[in-house]
Amino acid sequence: MEELDGEPAVTVIPGVNSKKNQMCFDWGPGEMLVCETSFSKKEKSEMVPSCPFIYIIRKDVDVYSQILRKLFNESHGIFLGLQRIDEELTGKSRKSQLVRVSKNYRSVIRACMEEMHQVAIAAKDPASGRQFSSQVSILSAMELIWNLCEILFIEVAPAGHLLLHLLDWVRLHVCEVDSLSADVLGSENPSNHDSFWNLVTILVLQGRLDEARQMLSKEADASPASAGICRIMGDLMRTMPILSPGNTQTLTELELKWQHWHEECERYLQDSTFATNPHLESLLKIMLGDEAALLEQKELLSNWYHFLVTRLLYSNPTVKPIDLHYYAQSSLDLFLGGESSPEPLDNILLAAFEFDIHQVIKECSIALSNWWFVAHLTDLLDHCKLLQSHNLYFGSNMREFLLLEYASGLFAHPSLWQLGVDYFDYCPKLGRVSLELHIERIPLNTEQKALKVLRICEQRQMTEQVRSICKILAMKAVRNNRLGSALSWSIRAKDAAFATLVSDRFLRDYCERGCFSDLDLIDNLGPAMMLSDRLTFLGKYREFHHMYGEKRFADAASLLLSLMTSRIAPRSFWMTLLTDALPLLEQKQVIFSAEQTYELMQCLEDLTSRRPVRGESDIQQLQVIFTSGLMVPHGGGKRLPLSQTSPSLQKHWLLWTHVPLFPLTCVIHTPPSFRRK
């Protein structure tokens, strides 16, 4: 039966008293907004809030750290490289690549930890210094856990070599000995330094026996009386059998040599060879693996896992991975001695020594402040084929769930969201759906950011999101009266309705101003003008102006007439089109044929008969339009008020408006004389 998680801990928001005030909240992409809704009466006519604060609670505050941002950026590249590892690679080549990836992750953690440490030292504010120091501790713990997981799960070191890796692990993470060594060796007489024997003891505890022998030689030089026993101790350290990386001896041979060496140490202890020097006798007991002697050095060991590795070194150097959990649990119990309970880090390391990967990930998810660690570690372990059998009850596996959580946290940041996109891409089950939901919530503050989002959506063929983003940008452009940009976005969104709306705005502005804005866009619509009838009309009407400006009057007249007879032009624009026909009628040569003229008359009759204004005749309505500044073509795509044109054109316009009152046959039979008047 699957273990059920307990209820999450209650987080108390500073300054908020839920018993006194009513609070409301709303979740954003990565934060929660809390505000007060309870108002108290100060006077009958005045309602005031008792607490004028709004609280913002972020789900993942680490994404806002400048130093941790480098961690996220650097690890993003490593993550992508890991996903591209050829699945065909097997055996040692694949394993070596995975180990290399793990070391790359650890190097990024360590680099950020060192930078954070420098910032903590340089911090002028004590509170900031404590905060940075706390972050250093977290990063150090992360690297400690990752390094152990690398040894146990990725490298899978066998017996003998396992202890060598664990020794390197302890030496890397218990580094106070280096500063202590520099301090002792920098003194005039190292053997008389107060910390001399502490240094020698730490070196022995970490298995650095060559360095310990060098320190003992200094003691022998300074104290001839103890030179003999120092030399004996040095020989014991030199002859201790350890399986080195390049050594070809078998574990059986190593165990036999180690047993003979251990018996020799026992004889020296029984003979009281080092009784005259308590420090050397204590070192001998440590080298014999005496648990009591080791526990006496608890302050120098500093933690139980250092005690564990030292204990294994001097009692069972060929320990098998399967036996680690026994030694780990007993070492933890012995070191703590019932005086304190295990910390979260202790539980995580203990779970690792028990080879319980899922428990390691669960404990890390609870203890650490962000999802970066568990997401990347789980992904790496998944590539090692260690998590294939563990699926979650809601349809996703552990790797994908943690990557989704981490990517969601990145989307809360104004720029790191771009990294989150790639993490969603490598979540095969729920990644695309999650990306679609998150990308719709990105605030499009600038057009540059909008273009980035749009490019991401287009690359992934997210049609609905592309359309939605383009609509948003088109609406913003319309509000700012940037019609060219609005039309461009509506075309990109393939939104016929909005393209029609923007085209109407273009036509309305043209009627008011007498010229088109954004001519380059309209002139280069190309196939995009087929998106909507109104856009087609806009493009064709602009083409009519080109023909008129180039004095291709016959072609212009045919196009103008086709725009009306095909009913592609909005009826509200017909009077403008009819007025555009006037300069063509004024030409000396015949432009419109009799049939075309008849069609113009029919359009004018339809317009005047279907658009009456209450209380006015058709003639009165058209006269009002004329006196209010009707515009006619004036070349180059511009228009002038009819009142500013030639008297001849104004006279033709008046005749034109009177045409529907005369029999149509009269006009059809006399177009030349009509044009000559």
Side-chain angles (χ1 to χ4, degrees):
M1 186 173 180
E2 186 175 355
E3 179 185 357
L4 298 177
D5 292 334
E7 290 294 326
V10 177
T11 301
V12 179
I13 305 172
V16 174
N17 186 351
S18 59
K19 296 181 179 179
K20 181 179 179 182
N21 304 321
Q22 296 178 0
M23 310 300 295
C24 71
F25 73 92
D26 183 33
W27 275 110
E31 59 188 23
M32 184 172 71
L33 183 70
V34 182
C35 59
E36 184 183 345
T37 58
S38 177
F39 289 81
S40 59
K41 289 186 178 181
K42 187 177 180 182
E43 294 180 1
K44 290 184 178 180
S45 61
E46 185 179 1
M47 303 285 284
V48 296
S50 59
C51 180
F53 297 112
I54 293 178
Y55 301 89
I56 299 177
I57 300 141
R58 290 192 172 99
K59 182 172 64 174
D60 193 348
V61 296
D62 289 342
V63 298
Y64 296 93
S65 169
Q66 289 294 328
I67 299 175
L68 292 181
R69 183 174 177 177
K70 296 179 182 179
L71 174 69
F72 302 144
N73 280 311
E74 293 292 331
S75 58
H76 169 256
I78 301 172
F79 171 82
L80 293 181
L82 175 59
Q83 311 313 307
R84 301 187 186 106
I85 286 182
D86 189 359
E87 294 294 336
E88 299 299 324
L89 292 177
T90 57
K92 293 183 178 180
S93 60
R94 180 176 178 80
K95 178 180 175 181
S96 62
Q97 284 198 37
L98 293 173
V99 171
R100 178 177 53 81
V101 169
S102 178
K103 292 183 184 297
N104 289 340
Y105 275 127
R106 286 201 294 115
S107 66
V108 173
I109 298 174
R110 182 158 287 273
C112 287
M113 180 175 63
E114 292 174 356
E115 184 175 352
M116 189 77 75
H117 179 65
Q118 296 300 322
V119 173
I121 294 174
K124 297 180 180 179
D125 181 14
S128 299
R130 288 191 296 271
Q131 182 180 358
F132 288 127
S133 297
S134 174
Q135 194 67 60
V136 169
S137 301
I138 294 173
L139 289 170
S140 178
M142 288 165 58
E143 210 244 329
L144 178 75
I145 299 166
W146 193 299
N147 195 355
L148 182 60
C149 292
E150 178 185 303
I151 294 169
L152 300 179
F153 305 137
I154 303 173
E155 285 191 304
V156 196
H161 292 284
L162 174 60
L163 184 61
L164 295 179
H165 287 86
L166 292 177
L167 280 171
D168 291 336
W169 174 60
V170 166
R171 292 166 186 168
L172 180 63
H173 296 282
V174 183
C175 51
E176 294 83 356
V177 63
D178 296 322
S179 58
L180 181 61
S181 178
D183 186 27
V184 171
L185 293 176
S187 63
E188 294 181 1
N189 192 349
S191 61
N192 290 333
H193 195 281
D194 294 339
S195 301
F196 175 79
W197 287 108
N198 282 347
L199 174 60
V200 176
T201 303
I202 293 177
L203 291 173
V204 173
L205 291 172
Q206 292 192 4
R208 299 163 67 168
L209 299 182
D210 289 337
E211 297 175 58
R213 283 196 303 113
Q214 294 175 7
M215 298 302 296
L216 287 178
S217 66
K218 297 184 182 300
E219 169 66 13
D221 295 338
S223 177
S226 59
I229 56 176
C230 285
R231 185 164 49 253
I232 295 173
M233 179 60 72
D235 289 339
L236 289 175
M237 293 179 179
R238 179 177 55 80
T239 57
M240 178 181 176
I242 296 177
L243 185 65
S244 59
N247 200 333
T248 58
Q249 63 182 333
T250 64
L251 286 181
T252 304
E253 293 173 343
L254 176 64
E255 288 175 350
L256 287 173
K257 290 181 179 179
W258 186 85
Q259 189 64 38
H260 289 310
W261 174 84
H262 193 269
E263 291 173 357
E264 185 179 3
C265 293
E266 284 280 4
R267 284 196 301 270
Y268 281 117
L269 182 63
Q270 292 174 3
D271 294 343
S272 301
T273 304
F274 302 100
T276 58
N277 191 321
H279 296 294
L280 292 177
E281 189 173 36
S282 175
L283 291 178
L284 183 62
K285 290 179 180 180
I286 291 173
M287 293 166 64
L288 284 169
D290 189 307
E291 293 179 357
L294 286 171
L295 291 174
E296 288 178 1
Q297 309 299 332
K298 187 180 287 190
E299 291 184 2
L300 298 180
L301 288 167
S302 71
N303 51 64
W304 69 270
Y305 47 88
H306 187 186
F307 169 67
L308 164 66
V309 176
T310 303
R311 180 186 176 196
L312 289 173
L313 175 63
Y314 295 115
S315 62
N316 189 4
T318 58
V319 62
K320 296 178 176 61
I322 197 173
D323 296 326
L324 272 180
H325 72 281
Y326 164 74
Y327 286 100
Q329 185 64 64
S330 61
S331 296
L332 176 63
D333 295 338
L334 286 170
F335 194 83
L336 296 182
E339 298 176 0
S340 60
S341 57
E343 298 288 336
L345 177 60
D346 301 329
N347 294 327
I348 295 170
L349 296 178
L350 193 60
F353 283 120
E354 293 173 353
F355 288 88
D356 190 344
I357 298 176
H358 303 129
Q359 188 65 24
V360 171
I361 295 171
K362 178 180 177 180
E363 294 285 348
C364 289
S365 300
I366 297 172
L368 298 177
S369 58
N370 62 72
W371 294 101
W372 178 90
F373 181 85
V374 288
H376 290 85
L377 179 61
T378 304
D379 175 64
L380 180 58
L381 295 176
D382 186 74
H383 278 79
C384 296
K385 311 298 182 184
L386 297 174
L387 298 172
Q388 302 303 316
S389 61
H390 191 78
N391 291 322
L392 304 179
Y393 66 90
F394 47 82
S396 178
N397 59 33
M398 181 181 290
R399 170 194 174 273
E400 181 163 331
F401 169 76
L402 294 173
L403 286 178
L404 291 173
E405 288 295 324
Y406 174 64
S408 299
L410 292 177
F411 264 80
H413 193 274
S415 62
L416 289 178
W417 63 269
Q418 298 174 77
L419 306 181
V421 172
D422 291 323
Y423 289 93
F424 281 133
D425 283 343
Y426 287 101
C427 295
K429 290 186 179 179
L430 303 175
R432 181 173 179 93
V433 175
S434 300
L435 178 59
E436 290 173 353
L437 293 174
H438 280 81
I439 212 158
E440 290 177 350
R441 306 181 74 172
I442 296 177
L444 305 177
N445 304 324
T446 64
E447 191 161 319
Q448 182 181 7
K449 187 174 182 179
L451 289 171
K452 287 182 180 179
V453 177
L454 200 59
R455 184 165 57 251
I456 288 170
C457 294
E458 288 175 341
Q459 289 171 349
R460 289 154 181 80
Q461 299 179 352
M462 297 164 61
T463 308
E464 291 300 321
Q465 283 67 32
V466 169
R467 188 171 301 165
S468 175
I469 293 168
C470 290
K471 284 182 179 180
I472 293 171
L473 296 172
M475 286 298 297
K476 286 184 178 181
V478 167
R479 292 192 197 102
N480 296 325
N481 204 31
R482 296 167 54 225
L483 298 182
S485 179
L487 183 58
S488 177
W489 286 119
S490 61
I491 291 173
R492 193 164 181 175
K494 295 181 174 58
D495 189 339
F498 203 85
T500 299
L501 174 66
V502 179
S503 300
D504 283 337
R505 285 285 301 271
F506 264 106
L507 296 173
R508 189 174 70 191
D509 282 7
Y510 171 75
C511 293
E512 294 174 355
R513 298 166 52 192
C515 62
F516 281 115
S517 59
D518 300 287
L519 288 177
D520 289 341
L521 176 63
I522 301 175
D523 291 342
N524 296 282
L525 285 174
M529 73 169 62
M530 305 304 295
L531 182 61
S532 73
D533 290 346
R534 197 60 45 82
L535 189 57
T536 303
F537 169 73
L538 178 63
K540 290 296 182 181
Y541 186 57
R542 174 60 186 158
E543 188 177 336
F544 160 77
H545 279 280
H546 274 296
M547 294 176 179
Y548 187 90
E550 296 170 357
K551 300 188 183 302
R552 295 160 54 195
F553 296 131
D555 294 337
S558 298
L559 178 58
L560 185 67
L561 186 61
S562 68
L563 291 177
M564 298 186 65
T565 56
S566 65
R567 297 302 191 264
I568 196 174
R571 181 171 293 275
S572 60
F573 207 74
W574 277 22
M575 181 53 67
T576 302
L577 296 178
L578 289 170
T579 308
D580 288 341
L582 290 177
L584 298 174
L585 292 170
E586 196 181 31
Q587 300 298 320
K588 293 181 179 180
Q589 70 273 23
V590 176
I591 304 297
F592 289 103
S593 66
E595 184 179 355
Q596 288 176 325
T597 306
Y598 179 84
E599 290 176 346
L600 282 174
M601 298 301 101
Q602 185 65 48
C603 291
L604 180 60
E605 184 176 22
D606 290 346
L607 178 64
T608 55
S609 62
R610 296 184 186 183
R611 294 183 58 190
V613 178
R614 185 181 301 174
E616 293 183 347
S617 66
D618 295 335
I619 300 299
Q620 290 174 327
Q621 179 186 357
L622 296 175
Q623 291 284 4
V624 168
I625 295 174
F626 170 68
T627 56
S628 63
L630 190 64
M631 313 288 277
V632 296
H634 191 62
K638 296 183 179 180
R639 297 168 65 87
L640 286 176
L642 184 62
S643 58
Q644 298 180 15
T645 59
S646 63
S648 173
L649 187 58
Q650 295 180 26
K651 179 180 69 174
H652 282 154
W653 183 85
L654 289 173
L655 288 172
W656 184 256
T657 57
H658 284 70
V659 165
L661 303 180
F662 300 112
L664 291 177
T665 53
C666 298
V667 179
I668 294 298
H669 286 52
T670 59
S673 59
F674 176 85
R675 292 185 179 84
R676 285 194 295 272
K677 286 184 179 181

